[in-house]
Amino acid sequence: MNRWLWIAVDIVATVAGGVAAVWAWRSGVRQTAFVPDGDQPAFTSTHYSGSWLGLAVLLAIVAGLAGLDLLVRTAVRSRPDRRARAAVQFQR
């Protein structure tokens, strides 16, 4: 039961971390359009906010680690300890 609980937590952490990373990245990039003024041509300025982009990278790392943990937990079967196996063999 405990194994399935951690698998569910990993699924939620992976999805939530990925969504939050995309949201933080989009919040960290702002574009401003300037209209032509006299001899100046129209152009678009892009401002990158380092704190938002850093948060996005951190959230992506957390989501990636949760995804790796999810893969390991679903691929590896839990084995009973040696004493439990010995007790089962002794009863036969």
Side-chain angles (χ1 to χ4, degrees):
M1 168 91 176
N2 194 18
R3 178 174 178 252
W4 294 109
L5 176 68
W6 281 111
I7 288 174
V9 168
D10 283 338
I11 290 171
V12 170
T14 302
V15 172
V19 169
V22 170
W23 171 77
W25 187 272
R26 289 185 181 208
S27 295
V29 179
R30 295 284 178 215
Q31 293 186 344
T32 305
F34 293 95
V35 295
D37 184 26
D39 324 351
Q40 303 295 327
F43 68 96
T44 301
S45 172
T46 304
H47 172 73
Y48 297 99
S49 176
S51 57
W52 281 107
L53 298 182
L55 177 64
V57 169
L58 180 67
L59 289 169
I61 290 171
V62 168
L65 289 175
L68 286 174
D69 189 46
L70 175 65
L71 287 175
V72 169
R73 286 186 190 271
T74 55
V76 175
R77 294 267 184 209
S78 57
R79 294 184 242 164
D81 61 347
R82 290 184 183 188
R83 283 181 268 157
R85 280 188 271 146
V88 169
Q89 290 175 355
F90 182 73
Q91 291 176 356
R92 289 184 186 180

